[in-house]
Amino acid sequence: MTKLLVDNKEIEIEPGTVLLEACLRNHIYIPNLCYLPGMPHPDASCRLCFVEIDGKVVPSCTVKVNGPMRVKTDTPAVRKLQQSALRLLLSVHEVDCANCPANKQCALQEIARFLRVGLKPKGLDRLLKEPSIVSDHPFIDFYPNRCVLCGRCVRLCRTKEGRPQMNFSARGFNTVISFYGANRESMPTCEECRSCLKACPVGALVLREPARE
Amino acid sequence: MSQTTPRISFNAIREQAEKRRKELDETGLPKVHIGMATCGIAAGALETKTAFEQALADQNIAARIHAVGCLGHCYAEPLVLVENPGWPPIFYYGVTPGNAGMIVRAFLRDGDPLLETLLGATEPNDLIPQVKDFPRFAFEKKVITQKSGFIDPEDVYDYIDHGGYETLSACLEKSPGDILQEVVHSGLRGRGGAGFPTGTKWRLAREAEIEHKVVICNADEGDPGAYMDRTILESNPHQVIEGMVLCAYAVGASKGIIYVRAEYPLAVRVITKALQQAEGLGLIGKNILGTDFSFDLSLFQGSGAFVCGEETAMIQSIEGYRGVAQHRPPYPVEKGLYGWPTVINNVKTFASIAPILERGAEWYRSMGTDKSPGTAVFSVVGNVVHPGLVEIPMGVDLRTLILEICGGIPNKKAFKAVQIGGPSGGCLPERFLDTPIDFDSLTEAGAMMGSGGIVVMDEDTCMVEVARYFLDFTQKESCGKCTFCRVGTKHLLGILERITKGEGRETDLKTLQELSQDIKLGSLCGLGKTAPNPVITSLRYFREEYEAHIKEKRCPAKMCRSLTAFYIDLDKCARGCDACVGSCPVEAIFTTKDRKKAVDQILCVKCGECMVACPVEYSAVKKISPAQLAPIIPRPEKKEDKKAE
Amino acid sequence: MHEISAEEQQQIAVCIGAFAPKRGSLVPILQRIQDEFAYLSGEAMRKVAAHLGITPGEVYSVATFYNQFRFHPPGKHAIKVCLGTACHVRGGEVILENFQRKLGIREGQTTEDKEFSIDRVACVGCCALAPVALLGDKVYGHMAPSKVEGLILGIHLEKERQEREKAKHESNNS
């Protein structure tokens, strides 16, 4: 076991643990969206889990604890970046919580409360994608304007052959999740699995009603 | 096998090359070297070549036409070097098919060198001025591009005859450690932009205890306006290949890849041929020059994604995935392509290796500055008299490069700014002209060496529009993985777009500033981290221009189309002249009651064609910002009646 | 949707067969197919997926990432307008707008009669001739709005001429 100091709180963890994981396990909350335990390489795409180590601001999902270290999770520099990233995510998010199935369990709501950021970010125009619902899966609807592109669903989705059924498509700002090529043969896996639905931190993937045609 | 050494194997090849040259030399024929890289061809070099062949046939003159690469003098294309026995070799510039016929008749047939059309001679003589007396030639120090423009890129023997692969054969007799030591000692820094010490990178790869190692040449040159790498590959591919083989030998790599943009079809063709020729002579592939060392080198074409110039994204794309940047560490040199230690260097870095190992680290260090030794190749484009590729020692200042070597600003306009480092770089104003060009000084000034693209801008360039242009580029090229780059650059672009349209808000400058800082600090990869640089520097050095756009709806450079208008000065317009009418693509120009012309501001698309079309002696078409200042002249009613019918 | 003929099926199979069935072949295979057909059909992507043992979704995901790949057949006359720095500074946007206005389509689109398509490209490396447009593979330098009109008019005239000749030919035959 190795000891580290997070915000003056001493915690003990097995060496090799991801710093973000170490903090979360010890009830020190760090905002995060894209982190998935057990993945060999950090995705580091949501840019929320910043912490400060020796004056340097780094995403805590990219740091492995291999010895004593001093970590601060609540410095002005950390908070500034986190708030900025969250504001950017909210600026492309259709804030219509009352009509969203994720209302009150939504990671964005929780992080916004934690970082004290309003759901309607100031200074930034809201940029939404068209169309707002994509139905290329037999019974799952995708909402691009709710999606935060954390990619957890894509990294978990596997057919029986071990291949991903859902992928990112397009590039840059236009990136979306796509079920391109999903067909009936692979559907039985989807029926059982539903990992993507469980992994989504917001309400971007929704079981269509009625669930089966 | 046991008796042969790399040198002995190589000598046989070199003898072949020499034999071929002697056969050609002994014929004593005149030689016509024509630059046939992409820019030469675009300027008409193919037609010029055909014209030479035709003229030589017509005049019954025997001469050898030699297709060579690019010398870097884009302003002078098609550029031709004529070697006529009894004369010094002479450069001719802008050689049209007509000029080609003239050169054949006047110079090759009648012995008149056509003093009025030549650029200069390459050797001292009594009659013709030497090119080395021109600043464009005098300041240059050619190491990377030394052979470019003098050899046929599609003929490996031409390279060998000019000393090529000699260094490889000599180095294969030394230990890899010695080679590595020399590169470390030379102080060479990666020419791809970041300036990481090449020797350090190689040493890390060498020390990795993994059997397979890879060497990748990054030729995914995507900066708009930068084309050094393309030109080098099109003009002298073997110097890059030789550098890669030397690297592979030094670090112990067995596999190599040249990653080139598919948008460079000529470069792809030239490299493919060069690889075949090199393999045919045993210079790459199995048991190079009869040694135990093998290096398999192949070509990979990029598919149009600027972000793939970032090394982790490049590796993803070679492996068959989306070219999405990955978190580092691990760095490719620890764990790269398929998990193997991978050295990724730029074209210019590899092209520097053979000269360094040939002439030694000390020689290399004698050029450039202490911390940035050697030379650098820049493509200088935009508002300069002599655009093109320039290779100069590091540490030369911007003033010398722009105003002397490249001839300054054309059309008597004033210098306004220089953009260095492409979309990742920044715009520097006049007071930075004395900044020496090296990695550290440029970074300090807020720009960046980048891969070497330099765009010079005159007083008619709007800095807000330039920032918008670069953000439009990076925004489209963002891989979309991390929040800051994917969403942040989109907002930066949106704000810049509305400012250039005159819809900017008072709060926009603060938002631009803060968001830029956050993107710079928060992004995952180099593309995102540097994307705001054009905004940050233009805000720092040209803030008043932003303010004019926002507060007065005025574009000081009169470049932003929503904020400017074209009108015709009726005092200057010549009655009865129709020059502008035909040039207008949307029929926005009409005849006034006194048979002069006026612009219909509603129809006008502000293309500026009428301004070009208006005869210089009148210069009646004017541009004005803000647009409301343009006088409104109503169309005569008669004409509208006619239209209505 | 465009129907894939048996002959095209065969051609696709040949393109794919030239590469080893490993993930690293994905981008080169797609490039080969794009070279051959000027776009990637759904059928082609399914075949590539089968060859490499991955899902069509994975192929589509990679293909949509790169600018080089198209998913619809381009027009007979593919127009590309360069918007590299040099072309931009010299009014490349104006040229692009003129093409769009003349043809009534936007960049990335194909006219209804499938005759023209317009795309923007980043730097084709002919900066000295800026602004530059490409019609097929041919580079047109120093473009101006009037030249845009001339280019399109030229193509229309040529087409009319061909049709007249064809009609003449047919009436002669009948």
Side-chain angles (χ1 to χ4, degrees):
Chain A
M1 297 299 256
T2 183
K3 280 183 189 167
L4 66 156
L5 205 60
V6 183
D7 299 336
N8 299 321
K9 180 180 170 185
E10 199 180 78
I11 61 176
E12 255 193 345
I13 202 85
E14 343 163 3
T17 311
V18 172
L19 176 58
L20 173 61
E21 182 84 40
C23 293
L24 294 176
R25 272 195 224 154
N26 285 280
H27 311 291
I28 300 166
Y29 180 66
I30 297 172
N32 69 90
L33 283 171
C34 69
Y35 177 68
L36 268 180
M39 288 282 165
H41 192 74
D43 199 51
S45 66
C46 73
R47 316 310 280 175
L48 281 168
C49 69
F50 289 109
V51 294
E52 203 173 300
I53 304 169
D54 302 328
K56 268 185 82 177
V57 179
V58 289
S60 57
C61 68
T62 63
V63 180
K64 283 202 171 147
V65 184
N66 281 320
M69 58 197 323
R70 263 169 191 279
V71 180
K72 288 181 186 156
T73 70
D74 187 17
T75 68
V78 165
R79 289 294 181 240
K80 182 171 182 289
L81 276 186
Q82 288 175 328
Q83 286 167 345
S84 184
L86 179 65
R87 267 198 286 268
L88 290 174
L89 287 172
L90 286 168
S91 74
V92 292
H93 189 81
E94 191 171 19
V95 181
D96 183 18
C97 301
N99 294 307
C100 176
N103 194 14
K104 299 203 168 99
Q105 304 146 43
C106 171
L108 277 181
Q109 288 176 330
E110 186 187 334
I111 298 169
R113 206 173 314 123
F114 180 80
L115 292 174
R116 296 199 188 91
V117 170
L119 291 178
K120 299 209 166 134
K122 275 184 212 134
L124 300 176
D125 289 351
R126 178 144 288 142
L127 307 167
L128 297 179
K129 288 174 186 160
E130 287 289 338
S132 58
I133 306 178
V134 181
S135 307
D136 59 358
H137 187 277
F139 55 84
I140 298 171
D141 282 338
F142 171 63
Y143 290 73
N145 295 322
R146 291 181 189 160
C147 179
V148 290
L149 287 171
C150 65
R152 290 157 59 106
C153 52
V154 172
R155 277 175 286 151
L156 288 171
C157 174
R158 290 294 177 268
T159 60
K160 286 211 172 81
E161 295 75 37
R163 308 303 316 173
Q165 176 88 319
M166 59 198 308
N167 293 282
F168 290 113
S169 78
R171 189 176 76 196
F173 186 78
N174 301 320
T175 308
V176 285
I177 306 291
S178 152
F179 286 103
Y180 181 93
N183 56 37
R184 306 231 153 244
E185 288 153 41
S186 49
M187 275 320 111
T189 324
C190 286
E191 300 262 8
E192 291 162 25
C193 166
R194 303 198 177 175
S195 307
C196 59
L197 294 167
K198 285 173 233 155
C200 184
V202 291
L205 294 166
V206 181
L207 211 54
R208 195 178 310 144
E209 295 297 341
R212 270 158 226 95
E213 293 129 82
Chain B
M1 177 102 185
S2 58
Q3 284 308 307
T4 178
T5 67
R7 264 185 189 284
I8 295 170
S9 308
F10 181 71
N11 282 343
I13 299 172
R14 196 182 45 205
E15 276 163 22
Q16 270 293 318
E18 280 170 2
K19 202 173 129 217
R20 283 174 36 132
R21 190 207 354 131
K22 274 190 191 135
E23 279 167 11
L24 289 168
D25 276 0
E26 273 164 18
T27 54
L29 294 179
K31 276 183 239 157
V32 178
H33 310 269
I34 308 177
M36 303 277 272
T38 295
C39 17
I41 290 174
L46 282 173
E47 289 80 0
T48 300
K49 184 168 170 251
T50 315
F52 266 112
E53 284 160 354
Q54 187 64 45
L56 288 168
D58 288 349
Q59 300 296 327
N60 217 352
I61 295 172
R64 183 176 159 226
I65 291 186
H66 189 211
V68 295
C70 173
L71 268 182
H73 294 243
C74 301
Y75 63 92
E77 298 286 2
L79 186 64
V80 174
L81 179 69
V82 181
E83 286 186 70
N84 195 4
W87 294 84
I90 300 174
F91 273 118
Y92 292 89
Y93 67 99
V95 182
T96 59
N99 286 0
M102 227 159 66
I103 292 170
V104 170
R105 283 190 304 274
F107 187 32
L108 296 186
R109 190 188 65 190
D110 302 338
D112 167 10
L114 294 167
L115 283 175
E116 61 281 10
T117 65
L118 55 74
L119 189 67
T122 60
E123 285 167 13
N125 68 94
D126 297 335
L127 183 62
I128 297 158
Q130 273 194 78
V131 285
K132 78 166 180 52
D133 295 331
F134 305 148
R136 188 62 170 73
F137 287 80
F139 283 96
E140 284 203 82
K141 178 82 198 165
K142 295 203 169 194
V143 175
I144 295 167
T145 58
Q146 193 207 353
K147 299 183 177 73
S148 297
F150 293 102
I151 60 171
D152 179 351
E154 301 195 33
D155 181 3
V156 63
Y157 285 118
D158 215 358
Y159 177 65
I160 292 169
D161 188 46
H162 282 74
Y165 289 114
E166 178 91 49
T167 312
L168 175 66
S169 72
C171 286
L172 288 180
E173 297 193 342
K174 297 180 195 159
S175 80
D178 290 347
I179 311 287
L180 179 66
Q181 200 45 49
E182 198 70 15
V183 173
V184 171
H185 188 57
S186 75
L188 173 66
R189 292 172 69 173
R191 268 19 181 190
F196 190 80
T198 305
T200 310
K201 194 185 265 187
W202 289 19
R203 183 189 288 144
L204 288 170
R206 181 171 169 72
E207 285 167 358
E209 285 171 10
I210 292 176
E211 198 190 335
H212 276 296
K213 287 171 196 172
V214 186
V215 173
I216 297 178
C217 173
N218 184 348
D220 189 46
E221 180 179 55
D223 306 31
Y227 50 96
M228 303 73 54
D229 296 352
R230 188 202 71 208
T231 309
I232 293 164
L233 289 170
E234 284 175 0
S235 304
N236 187 2
H238 288 287
Q239 189 166 330
V240 180
I241 294 174
E242 187 175 4
M244 290 185 75
V245 182
L246 286 163
C247 170
Y249 182 66
V251 306
S254 53
K255 186 176 168 52
I257 292 171
I258 305 179
Y259 190 104
V260 194
R261 298 174 79 199
E263 291 93 324
Y264 286 173
L266 181 60
V268 167
R269 205 191 74 208
V270 170
I271 297 165
T272 307
K273 195 160 177 189
L275 288 174
Q276 284 165 359
Q277 292 181 342
E279 182 140 27
L281 294 180
L283 297 162
I284 57 172
K286 283 224 158 63
N287 300 105
I288 293 174
L289 292 174
T291 61
D292 294 339
F293 168 56
S294 297
F295 179 55
D296 167 51
L297 183 56
S298 58
L299 175 89
F300 189 95
Q301 290 187 47
S303 288
F306 176 69
V307 67
C308 288
E310 201 279 339
E311 46 188 31
T312 60
M314 174 177 286
I315 288 171
Q316 292 285 313
S317 96
I318 299 174
E319 291 182 0
Y321 295 89
R322 293 160 61 84
V324 169
Q326 304 296 311
H327 176 79
R328 299 182 306 185
Y331 287 86
V333 74
E334 308 157 56
K335 216 173 162 209
L337 189 69
Y338 301 113
W340 302 324
T342 303
V343 172
I344 303 181
N345 277 135
N346 176 267
V347 172
K348 294 172 292 274
T349 314
F350 283 124
S352 304
I353 298 300
I356 289 173
L357 294 172
E358 181 196 342
R359 306 179 66 173
E362 283 306 327
W363 164 79
Y364 193 73
R365 293 197 76 97
S366 72
M367 296 176 291
T369 66
D370 200 29
K371 284 189 176 152
S372 303
T375 61
V377 185
F378 297 98
S379 64
V380 186
V381 297
N383 305 117
V384 281
V385 174
H386 293 154
L389 289 196
V390 184
E391 182 168 3
I392 44 173
M394 290 272 197
V396 170
D397 59 49
L398 285 165
R399 188 183 300 281
T400 311
L401 176 63
I402 296 166
L403 301 184
E404 297 210 37
I405 303 177
C406 291
I409 317 293
N411 305 326
K412 296 188 182 139
K413 299 275 182 187
F415 171 90
K416 180 167 188 177
V418 53
Q419 215 282 346
I420 308 172
S424 329
C427 296
L428 301 180
E430 193 171 0
R431 66 173 189 273
F432 285 92
L433 275 182
D434 294 312
T435 309
I437 307 173
D438 62 62
F439 290 104
D440 310 304
S441 308
L442 288 179
T443 308
E444 206 173 295
M448 154 171 169
M449 188 82 155
S451 63
I454 293 190
V455 184
V456 180
M457 295 174 239
D458 69 13
E459 54 189 305
D460 291 343
T461 315
C462 169
M463 302 316 291
V464 187
E465 165 56 25
V466 168
R468 187 208 63 79
Y469 171 77
F470 281 112
L471 256 294
D472 183 54
F473 178 84
T474 27
Q475 189 274 129
K476 285 200 174 81
E477 294 297 338
S478 163
C479 79
K481 182 178 183 179
C482 85
T483 307
F484 281 105
C485 181
R486 181 183 70 241
V487 188
T489 57
K490 182 86 176 171
H491 280 295
L492 288 184
L493 174 64
I495 296 172
L496 291 167
E497 267 172 356
R498 70 174 178 245
I499 296 178
T500 56
K501 282 186 187 147
E503 295 157 9
R505 306 167 197 160
E506 292 276 340
T507 51
D508 278 350
L509 293 190
K510 191 168 169 258
T511 312
L512 277 181
Q513 191 113 42
E514 286 180 0
L515 190 52
S516 294
Q517 286 305 336
D518 294 342
I519 296 172
K520 199 175 168 129
L521 289 172
S523 290
L524 171 67
C525 83
L527 184 127
K529 282 182 193 299
T530 57
N533 281 351
V535 184
I536 295 174
T537 52
S538 58
L539 260 178
R540 186 184 305 156
Y541 301 128
F542 300 95
R543 196 180 181 91
E544 66 289 350
E545 268 191 60
Y546 280 86
E547 285 168 351
H549 281 77
I550 295 173
K551 291 179 186 154
E552 303 165 44
K553 312 291 174 214
R554 178 172 65 89
C555 174
K558 302 192 189 93
M559 190 186 191
C560 294
R561 284 199 277 158
S562 311
L563 302 182
T564 47
F566 288 85
Y567 72 94
I568 294 170
D569 185 343
L570 292 175
D571 291 337
K572 293 197 164 174
C573 183
R575 193 163 285 140
C577 168
D578 269 342
C580 55
V581 179
S583 74
C584 179
V586 291
E587 293 174 31
I589 299 178
F590 59 90
T591 307
T592 65
K593 275 186 289 201
D594 350 334
R595 291 176 47 232
K596 292 193 173 183
K597 299 289 175 290
V599 178
D600 183 331
Q601 295 299 341
I602 295 165
L603 289 183
C604 177
V605 290
K606 300 169 188 181
C607 66
E609 280 292 290
C610 50
M611 203 165 184
V612 180
C614 185
V616 192
E617 57 268 40
Y618 308 138
S619 299
V621 180
K622 305 284 175 199
K623 217 169 162 188
I624 195 162
S625 179
Q628 304 88 277
L629 294 184
I632 307 265
I633 298 162
R635 272 187 196 255
E637 278 180 21
K638 250 198 212 158
K639 205 173 177 187
E640 289 200 351
D641 287 349
K642 260 188 200 166
K643 256 196 173 169
E645 274 166 26
Chain C
M1 246 339 268
H2 187 70
E3 278 294 313
I4 305 283
S5 69
E7 193 192 336
E8 284 172 319
Q9 299 264 16
Q10 181 57 34
Q11 258 176 296
I12 295 173
V14 171
C15 291
I16 296 174
F19 294 90
K22 53 174 195 190
R23 180 80 194 223
S25 306
L26 177 54
V27 174
I29 294 179
L30 295 178
Q31 287 169 338
R32 173 73 70 87
I33 296 174
Q34 167 92 21
D35 269 354
E36 196 85 13
F37 296 91
Y39 80 108
L40 305 175
S41 59
E43 176 65 19
M45 286 192 281
R46 273 191 294 281
K47 283 202 151 76
V48 174
H51 183 65
L52 301 182
I54 58 179
T55 60
E58 290 179 89
V59 176
Y60 182 73
S61 170
V62 170
T64 53
F65 185 87
Y66 298 99
N67 294 345
Q68 195 186 5
F69 303 116
R70 292 183 68 107
F71 302 92
H72 301 287
K76 220 165 98 194
H77 305 283
I79 294 164
K80 294 186 190 126
V81 182
C82 178
L83 290 171
T85 312
C87 289
H88 170 74
V89 171
R90 300 198 181 191
E93 302 269 352
V94 175
I95 303 303
L96 178 64
E97 274 173 28
N98 268 282
F99 275 116
Q100 292 176 343
R101 196 165 41 233
K102 280 283 151 208
L103 297 172
I105 50 171
R106 302 205 41 81
E107 54 170 297
Q109 295 179 336
T110 306
T111 50
E112 264 184 36
D113 59 5
K114 304 267 182 271
E115 282 289 316
F116 295 97
S117 58
I118 308 178
D119 284 288
R120 66 160 71 203
V121 286
C123 207
V124 291
C126 304
C127 307
L129 303 177
V132 164
L134 287 94
L135 189 63
D137 289 334
K138 188 159 169 49
V139 178
Y140 292 86
H142 300 303
M143 284 299 292
S146 49
K147 275 197 179 174
V148 169
E149 205 156 333
L151 266 181
I152 293 172
L153 191 67
I155 292 169
H156 278 308
L157 288 178
E158 174 65 15
K159 197 186 163 200
E160 277 170 27
R161 193 185 60 79
Q162 280 175 0
E163 274 170 7
R164 265 202 315 277
E165 294 214 336
K166 208 174 144 199
K168 216 163 109 190
H169 196 67
E170 275 166 11
S171 67
N172 284 350
N173 281 355
S174 59

